[in-house]
Amino acid sequence: MEAGNVMDGTERANAPWLLSAPLPELLAAASALRDAGHGRVQSWSRKVFLPLTHLCRNLCHYCTFTQPPRPGENAYMTRDEVLAVARAGQAAGCTEALFTLGDKPELRFAAAREELARLGHASTLSYLAEMAALVRDETGLLPHINAGVMTREEMAMLRRVSVSQGLMLESVSDRLCHKGGAHYRSPDKEPAARIETIRLAGELRVPFTTGILIGIGETRAERIEALEAIRGLHDGYGHIQEVIVQNFRAKPRTVMADAPEPDMDELLWTIAVARLILGPQMNIQAPPNLSAADFPHLMAAGINDWGGVSPVTPDHVNPEAPWPEVERLRMATEAEGRMLVARMPVYPAYAADNDRWQDEAMVRHVLAHADAFGFAREDLWSPGVALEPRIARPSTLPVDPCIAAIVARAMEGDLLDEDAITTLFAARESDMDHVCDAADALREREMGDAITYVVNRNINYTNICVYKCSFCAFSKGDKAEELRGKPYDLDLAEVVRRTREAWDRGGSEVCLQGGIHPHYTGDTYLGLTRAVRAAVPDMHIHAFSPLEIWQGAATLGLPLEDYLRQLKAAGLDTLPGTAAEILDDEVRAIICPDKLTTDQWLEVVETAHRVGFRTTATIMFGHVDTPRHWARHLIRIRDLQRRTGGFTEFVPLPFVHMEAPMALRGQARRGPTFREVRLMHAVARLALHPHIRSIQTSWVKLGAEGVKACLQSGANDLGGTLMNESISRAAGTQHGQEMPPAAMEALIRSIDRTPRQRSTGYGAVSDELRARGMMAADLTPMILTPPRKRRRATEEQQESFAYAE
């Protein structure tokens, strides 16, 4: 087989070529294949090691992990010991709790049986299930279980308390189980039994780790046979998420203490062969601690993962070989041109399909640790929580040429496609810095150094809503049992009072939005508009989401254009582009299935632009969505802007998870990571250029430190002072309801930029209005008018709205 055929992945590597090809040729082919499947990402898992018991019924000739019962010592880790280790891992930022133990010790040792009885269990695996659930529930760590050969029922039991499981195949050589072989008197090392366990994992849809152990008496041909067996199992079920190539290490006081260890070339040959047999997408790991100072050489053979590395516990299987420190691992990885990225014990491809690969009880825990690509979150920060000042760690990696090329095209105004935009969202380390720096340079080129803001007031006139959007903690159902807080439905007099107070405090805009009240019709929104316009003729009215427009038109039986013209005549100035969430119906079917479809949202906004309204555009991201959905959203916004030119700005709105119903049910991630937040602003700047010039960042979602970073990553606008903010506050944000003009300007000057107060349409405001804002009195207490009896929209109006949907 030619190396070219191997590298493009279109053919399987065959044994004769693998056994005869020069090592440099194999290494080149394997590393190219790895790069095709994984790019520059070199993953690892931050873990704690929990050796639940060292007792084992097997007598492997190379093993020091297993120990016989010792008088006065427990046969199993106690509940308190397990929790102590797990909590130390939690405090150190670990994601994985690795449970490793000997095979079925109760079948060999009376001490194991007796202790299990005292613990209330009939088997080691039953006690293991209890401890895995304990760690999961008390610490949030994700259990990965290596429990040996199991039955289908045992593995199914452990699937309910773990995110992944593992069993090293080690070898398919039966002769190693004969007298004199490494697996003699080790019944659980029979190849057929181990292959059956791996097969059962496939049937049960368990993300599974397996691998081979080299240097225990097997031949190279037998290694190939073992890898082909693994490939066959994976071809059948798609469940093998990771293959480990582990080198034998001779240990004192074992039968194989004097056996020769495989040298580095032998290990590199085996890793390369594994890559060539298993293909570009497989995750292939070699433990770095088993190669001492030589571990960086392993990357040349095609690995893309370092496995679990613990900042807390030793490698209990190989205690003589300490793990490298994470910073040393990072430096060595970058020296080879690769990027160290933390993962969960379940790999990204499997975390992307939790319905298939996880028990329902585990899904919330996976989502709590996952970023948008299915890797581990970088830290505990979520939108709505104060962001501590960060010290950037400079990366030694050069920028990926693919990333650089996409950025260069965007800077020239090329229309980036879905794949290119998704690639930008995948940027990390030096690549992310390049994307954000380029976006900031483009911002400076297009918008200068001024950062704009508007003095405005949010008026949410009702929190009663007939919709069941699973991300929304603001809206209240119209039935008592659906309420999560006090419902209200403001009198027009209170709306007018707040508008006048906003004007007196220097506000140039009121933003009117609310829930879809079951008794509201299109006349309700017309009445609100007329009342505000009559009370404060010069106030800019920025009001009504596309959903409210759709509902208003439908309840009056009017075409969208006719209804929008009525609103314009009543005094409406502009529309907020909210209710967009993610403009992709795959996502909307999950988070807001009864809301507007993507096409309906776009229809409302395009009609509004045609009537003469300007609108904003938003994205609410970081829940069940993926970067590919983000790319589609940006393209749909960009395409509409190219047709109409009606968007004034693009506003990323990070999902605030704390009180959101779907997050409380464990059905969403904990909002976007900070890396994803920065990239959303940067990629929006690049992907929407030159069609949308203003990118806004949300202080109420991100706080001061968060928006500072985004204002240096392509954003140029701080949005509104708000005066009142109800929606994000209901979801759990800690950043308050108002950022007065003086605070806005101080924040802007703190990053050496120039503040400029603007109107809603980005024009200048009068000196007199600006002075009122700077000297504004405190807000008077708000009145939340309780719900009152309204005449329900007529049956005909309700049917019209339902039909329109």
Side-chain angles (χ1 to χ4, degrees), residues 553-565:
T555 56
L556 297 182
L558 292 173
L560 284 171
E561 184 166 337
D562 290 356
Y563 183 57
L564 283 162
R565 291 191 184 281

Side-chain angles (χ1 to χ4, degrees), residues 777-789:
D778 291 342
L779 286 164
T780 57
M782 294 187 298
I783 299 170
L784 296 178
T785 315
R788 57 200 182 280
K789 288 188 177 180

